[in-house]
Amino acid sequence: MNSLIIRVVCGVLFAALVLGVVAHPPANLTQGLGMLLPGAFLLNFALRGPRRSLIPKKQGPASAPSASTEPPPH
């Protein structure tokens, strides 16, 4: 439910950004490019939602076997 709210809010913010660009176009190219980056982030977040890391977290070290603490036999 929480991710749905975040996605809706990002979608509304993206729509407001687009309407702002349509109503008052940027004065120069730099201003337009500066508006693209946050717009792209908002649209990406609205479409995909908050993703968790694709790399699984490493588990804590398992109990080490007692043989690993002994020196190897000669």
Side-chain angles (χ1 to χ4, degrees):
M1 179 73 175
N2 195 14
S3 65
L4 180 65
I5 293 171
I6 292 172
R7 291 174 74 174
V8 167
V9 168
C10 287
V12 168
L13 287 174
F14 177 75
L17 184 69
V18 169
L19 287 175
V21 169
V22 170
H24 301 286
N28 54 24
L29 181 65
T30 308
Q31 222 178 18
L33 290 176
M35 294 170 79
L36 277 178
L37 186 63
F41 283 136
L42 286 170
L43 181 62
N44 185 30
F45 212 77
L47 294 177
R48 294 167 130 202
R51 296 227 173 180
R52 302 201 188 270
S53 176
L54 297 178
I55 302 171
K57 291 184 179 179
K58 292 183 179 179
Q59 297 294 330
S63 58
S66 60
S68 66
T69 58
E70 298 174 3
H74 294 300

